[in-house]
Amino acid sequence: MNLINKYNIPGPRYTSYPTVPYWDENSFSTEKWIETFKRSFDESNDKGGISIYIHLPFCESLCTFCACHKRITKLHSVEDGYIAAVLKEWKMYVDLLGKKPKIKELHLGGGTPTFFNPQNLKKLLEGIFELSVIAENPEFSFEGHPNNTSTDHLKTLYSLGFRRCSYGVQDYDLKVQQTINRIQPFEKVEAVTKAARDIGYESISHDLIFGLPHQTWESMAATIEKTKSLKPDRIAFYSYAHVPWIKGVGQRGFDESDLPSAELKRELYEKGKNLLEELGYIEIGMDHFSLPTDSLYQSMKDKTIHRNFMGYSSSSTQLMIGLGMSAISDSWYAFAQNDKSVEGYIEQVNAGELPVFRGHILNEEDLMVRRHILNIMCHLETSWEEKNMQLPEMPEIIGRLEEMQQDGLIEINNNHLKVTEKGRTFVRNIAMAFDLRMIRKQPETRIFSMTV
Ligand SMILES: C[S@@+](CC[C@H](N)C(=O)[O-])C[C@H]1O[C@@H](n2cnc3c(N)ncnc32)[C@H](O)[C@@H]1O
Ligand code: SF4
């Protein structure tokens, strides 16, 4: 049987362990979160520094495939109140520390960060920087929508230290674009990519998705050819996550029958991956491709690559503070997520409370599993030679991996697992063998998209 057929089952993307549906919310409290947050800060701030993720949720129109936390509005008057709340939340965190944090990494995600006008983004970032120090060689990045990223946005963010941006492209085919309600001509993407290069951005990434409604291999190949002509430093090649059962996701603008069959979706992935490799891109972990000149490739080679809620990153920080509605913070010892509505978030911050509504405190076992899963997702190998990596469940885990070893996806020797070239596509399945929380408690309803 075709391996993709065999291993294409619902599974997590492992931007965290435990994954959000398996968080133990009963053992979590904001007080415990603050404790681990302070501990993590003390352990890591003077070493490399910390990361900040700022969620900017607004978009002017709804793309019907989108699974992100967003709020659709054309009213730009929402910008001021939202920025004021994010700055208040930041001050709450800094006050807890009694010392200026050192920022190594900062990412603006969304929603659409470029919904905000450049002056407001400047106000937001200057407010963040006022209470902090900036690490050496900081890594600042943002997600830009090609339709509304202006030269002013690019220049303003560059002057504030941003050197990396990613653009949502998805697909260039007009019929696909019409169906997902996202008309975005190639010329727009070309213009913002060139403008960013001219200004001095060092790494430009394009997001593409396979498995969208009405996609064919011909349309996908044409999209990749157009992408090639702009030579982005990185390409995210995402599998379309069709999750219409999650409330609030706008995936209703098309019929299930408009989606490519499972067979065609696999073909889009396999041929797409081959074409990207022919064009000189190297696959990094899962979903990501990079030119050998990009820092992401270097970090994969040096084994400094890290994976968190923002996806892969070329630097590794222990503490990530997520600001804004729905943002998730990670202290390594715990996760905490903010309120998922704009109003609820602003209300709580204005009342002087951290807007955290749920989270998870990791126990010793979670930490061990987390290290294994990160090793697999980032370095395509893991080992249980050292005592602090030896889970009592190792024999069962190895039992679950046996079939994958027979299928040539992994090699296990001397307490060491290595993902083979053939196994790269299946890193999520390999990581799932270690996911003790998921194995012990199978969900009653479907919660994950397919692994391929
Ligand atoms: C927050 S959006 C990008 C920024 C900006 N809002 C834009 O649309 O250009 C982040 C990326 O998530 C990806 N994405 C969103 N929904 C998805 C889904 N259902 N399946 C796969 N990828 C998805 C898209 O590639 C998108 O570019
Ligand atoms: S893809 Fe981007 S612009 Fe479209 S709805 Fe999602 S976050 Fe907003």
Side-chain angles (χ1 to χ4, degrees), residues 169-174 176-177 184 186 189 206-210 212 215-230 232 235-237 275-276 279:
V169 174
Q170 330 308 353
D171 192 293
Y172 286 114
D173 186 81
L174 186 59
V176 176
Q177 292 193 357
Q184 183 180 276
F186 172 75
V189 184
H206 285 186
D207 297 346
L208 303 180
I209 302 184
F210 64 91
L212 287 171
Q215 267 178 345
T216 59
W217 169 242
E218 288 68 32
S219 72
M220 187 83 248
T223 288
I224 295 178
E225 282 298 323
K226 283 194 171 120
T227 303
K228 170 193 155 194
S229 71
L230 301 178
I235 294 175
F237 191 47
L275 184 53
L276 287 170
L279 298 175

Side-chain angles (χ1 to χ4, degrees), residues 415-449:
N415 298 332
H416 189 97
L417 174 155
K418 202 169 167 27
V419 179
T420 62
E421 202 44 46
K422 197 170 159 191
R424 293 185 70 115
T425 306
F426 306 101
V427 278
R428 288 163 79 172
N429 304 72
I430 298 162
M432 276 160 80
F434 287 82
D435 188 337
L436 297 179
R437 288 210 176 247
M438 185 171 77
I439 287 156
R440 288 189 195 122
K441 186 172 168 252
Q442 285 300 327
E444 281 137 36
T445 50
R446 207 180 138 189
I447 42 181
F448 296 116
S449 59

Side-chain angles (χ1 to χ4, degrees), residues 271-392:
K271 287 189 173 171
K273 171 181 143 87
N274 291 342
L275 184 53
L276 287 170
E277 286 176 343
E278 270 169 39
L279 298 175
Y281 288 91
I282 296 159
E283 193 174 21
I284 311 281
M286 74 178 248
D287 300 334
H288 286 72
F289 290 80
S290 120
L291 290 176
T293 43
D294 191 85
S295 63
L296 197 61
Y297 172 71
Q298 287 307 325
S299 69
M300 182 181 76
K301 278 185 71 179
D302 309 341
K303 297 207 166 190
T304 52
I305 189 169
H306 188 57
R307 182 167 174 84
N308 56 25
F309 287 100
M310 300 183 274
Y312 285 103
S313 107
S314 50
S315 65
S316 169
T317 55
Q318 182 175 316
L319 175 64
M320 181 173 82
I321 303 180
L323 304 173
M325 75 79 121
S326 79
I328 298 179
S329 300
D330 175 358
S331 65
W332 179 255
Y333 305 108
F335 299 113
Q337 183 170 29
N338 281 350
D339 197 291
K340 289 203 269 185
S341 83
V342 174
E343 292 74 13
Y345 165 74
I346 293 181
E347 215 171 274
Q348 286 175 64
V349 173
N350 284 342
E353 295 160 20
L354 279 185
V356 166
F357 88 104
R358 65 171 172 180
H360 178 90
I361 309 291
L362 284 87
N363 61 26
E364 284 305 315
E365 178 196 282
D366 289 335
L367 289 169
M368 221 184 267
V369 174
R370 185 176 189 190
R371 284 196 291 269
H372 279 298
I373 291 186
L374 263 178
N375 284 346
I376 294 167
M377 299 301 291
C378 293
H379 311 310
L380 302 169
E381 61 184 343
T382 193
S383 159
W384 46 97
E385 189 64 24
E386 302 292 326
K387 202 157 179 26
N388 69 349
M389 295 298 271
Q390 284 167 4
L391 289 155

Side-chain angles (χ1 to χ4, degrees), residues 65-67 110-112 143 145 168 170 182 207 209 238-239 241 251:
F65 69 91
C66 180
T112 303
E143 292 166 18
H145 192 313
Q170 330 308 353
R182 186 181 171 107
D207 297 346
I209 302 184
Y238 292 123
S239 166
Q251 294 176 330

